Amino acid sequence: MILYLSITALTVFMAYFVNSAYAGKSNNRRQARARNRQSMLNGVLLTGIFMVLFALSALRIGIGNDYWVYRDHFLHIMSGDTAVSYEIGFQALVKVLQSLFGYDNYRIVFAVMAFLTSLFFIKGLFDNTDWFVMSFFLFMANGFYFMSFSNVRYYFVMAVCTYAMKFLFAEDYVKFVFWIVLAAFFHKSVLLVIPVYLIAHSLKWNKKTLWLIPAACAALALGKPVFRRLMFVFYPYYEGDLILDVETISYANIAKCLAVLLFSLFYYKKAVKGNSKAETLFNLNLFALIIYSFGYYILETSRICYYMVLGHVFLIPIVLKAIENKRQKVFCLLSVILAYVMYLVIFIIKSRAPTVLLLPYMTWLFT
């Protein structure tokens, strides 16, 4: 626990000195030198943060509830004796790496995935944030980084989503779709992002569109048999599974999405309305709240919604920066920090559970 909290504190401290808005419009020498110094400092700090996150993930052994399951599947991929459900992109990567570095060299596979996941997350956070240290803190406190020790394919494509968001915000849809399709070769669930993100980006709330909210809630509540039938078309091996085919209501995630919704609504006119990026992120949070509340029966609900909840790391800083009253701003900032620190501590305490297995941390350096 102390290790994970220390890593979080260290990287957030480094992130504090990163300024993602260092570029100015003036061309005078003094400001040009300042921009160059900040740009260089950004590069050093971001590289340092990346190296810390990459090293902790790459050097682990047996950490993550599916670590050894992945190792067994790597062997099946190489031998071809048993069919593996992993997507062709990931299977190809495993074959290439183990051909180059030796049969059953599973550590190199985890290391490469750790490298790519950390790289895309850091790049995506820097490119898309309005306040880097706050976005990075929320990223760490939400547990996204630590959860990447499990389900390595899923969190890799989530990292790619973080990066691809900048093309969505810039309305460069070809590049956005390209990166999502590329990620789908590692985890096909990411294809859901294309329609969901595009709808979130284009949907504007007014008297003519508000009816869509109760309609979506009713459709999910009443359409359970239809939606489940469609899900098993894509994931037939989930049907009847005692672990995967279960219905659970995530009250914690509902509470978190509801809190973000209310916070955003309170400052909606100043922070969200008219800001295309903020409106997109606001819609993604609303979508997640509706699915958590009325689509709880959907397989891997949290995994689907995390593509939407990911937007919290960008939306909350936007709202915080838009608060004009200093006392309100300080109060909201401290409240957000306290709430997410508590969330992180609870998450780490629970990470010893057999379904998580993030603690105790072990590394192959000393084995």
Side-chain angles (χ1 to χ4, degrees):
M1 179 174 178
I2 295 176
L3 174 63
Y4 290 166
L5 291 177
S6 299
I7 289 295
T8 300
L10 173 62
T11 51
V12 169
F13 175 76
M14 295 169 69
Y16 178 80
F17 299 98
V18 174
N19 182 0
S20 57
Y22 66 89
K25 295 182 180 180
S26 176
N27 291 320
N28 67 63
R29 292 183 178 180
R30 184 176 180 180
Q31 290 195 5
R33 286 196 297 269
R35 290 199 302 273
N36 289 336
R37 285 196 299 269
Q38 185 61 56
S39 178
M40 184 177 297
L41 179 61
N42 285 348
V44 172
L45 291 169
L46 291 171
T47 300
I49 293 171
F50 164 77
M51 290 304 297
V52 171
L53 300 186
F54 163 60
L56 188 69
S57 181
L59 295 177
R60 76 189 192 280
I61 186 167
I63 303 302
N65 62 349
D66 55 0
Y67 188 95
W68 296 118
V69 174
Y70 264 106
R71 185 269 183 120
D72 290 341
H73 286 178
F74 295 164
L75 297 178
H76 293 319
I77 290 172
M78 294 304 294
S79 64
D81 59 349
T82 304
V84 175
S85 62
Y86 297 159
E87 285 75 5
I88 58 174
F90 186 71
Q91 292 201 39
L93 178 66
V94 171
K95 289 180 180 179
V96 169
L97 290 176
Q98 296 209 85
S99 296
L100 291 174
F101 296 96
Y103 180 75
D104 198 23
N105 192 346
Y106 56 91
R107 295 174 186 173
I108 191 65
V109 180
F110 285 114
V112 169
M113 292 301 293
F115 179 92
L116 294 174
T117 302
S118 300
L119 179 66
F120 276 103
F121 266 134
I122 296 299
K123 178 63 174 170
L125 288 169
F126 181 76
D127 287 351
N128 290 305
T129 187
D130 289 43
W131 187 1
F132 182 77
V133 64
M134 199 63 203
S135 288
F136 183 78
F137 165 73
L138 293 170
F139 164 72
M140 295 295 291
N142 266 290
F144 292 138
Y145 167 68
F146 297 112
M147 287 189 291
S148 71
F149 294 177
S150 295
N151 302 312
V152 295
R153 293 179 301 122
Y154 172 73
Y155 281 96
F156 165 66
V157 302
M158 256 190 73
V160 175
C161 281
T162 309
Y163 171 73
M165 276 184 179
K166 71 176 183 178
F167 300 115
L168 176 71
F169 298 143
E171 299 186 352
D172 189 344
Y173 301 123
V174 173
K175 289 183 180 178
F176 168 70
V177 171
F178 168 79
W179 281 104
I180 299 303
V181 171
L182 183 65
F185 285 99
F186 289 77
H187 204 292
K188 61 186 177 184
S189 68
V190 76
L191 291 174
L192 176 72
V193 162
I194 296 177
V196 170
Y197 278 31
L198 291 177
I199 292 172
H201 186 66
S202 61
L203 183 59
K204 308 297 180 183
W205 295 113
N206 52 53
K207 293 180 180 179
K208 295 181 179 179
T209 57
L210 282 176
W211 67 271
L212 292 171
I213 297 176
C217 296
L220 284 171
L222 300 176
K224 178 178 176 180
V226 176
F227 285 117
R228 282 183 59 82
R229 194 177 304 118
L230 288 174
M231 287 184 295
F232 291 133
V233 171
F234 292 96
Y235 294 98
Y237 51 88
Y238 276 25
E239 188 170 10
D241 190 283
L242 296 178
I243 298 176
L244 299 174
D245 187 9
V246 295
E247 298 179 9
T248 56
I249 300 177
S250 179
Y251 295 105
N253 282 310
I254 290 174
K256 185 163 61 172
C257 290
L258 181 59
V260 172
L261 176 66
L262 295 176
F263 179 50
S264 302
L265 283 174
F266 192 81
Y267 296 102
Y268 188 83
K269 290 184 178 180
K270 294 180 179 179
V272 180
K273 188 175 182 179
N275 182 335
S276 178
K277 177 179 176 180
E279 288 178 342
T280 302
L281 298 168
F282 176 87
N283 289 339
L284 288 176
N285 176 68
L286 178 61
F287 295 171
L289 177 60
I290 292 173
I291 295 174
Y292 275 130
S293 302
F294 298 93
Y296 58 89
Y297 54 83
I298 296 175
L299 302 175
E300 301 285 355
T301 306
S302 291
R303 181 175 294 183
I304 291 172
C305 289
Y306 272 11
Y307 288 125
M308 306 165 213
V309 173
L310 178 63
H312 288 182
V313 303
F314 302 124
L315 177 60
I316 293 175
I318 290 175
V319 178
L320 286 171
K321 288 194 71 175
I323 302 174
E324 296 175 351
N325 185 287
K326 290 185 178 180
R327 288 187 177 180
Q328 289 184 22
K329 191 168 189 174
V330 171
F331 174 78
C332 290
L333 177 61
L334 293 178
S335 298
V336 168
I337 291 174
L338 178 61
Y340 276 94
V341 167
M342 291 175 60
Y343 182 89
L344 176 61
V345 170
I346 294 172
F347 167 78
I348 293 177
I349 290 174
K350 292 182 176 180
S351 65
R352 290 181 180 272
T355 54
V356 185
L357 287 180
L358 297 183
L359 284 176
Y361 181 82
M362 293 181 290
T363 172
W364 49 260
L365 284 177
F366 308 112
T367 58

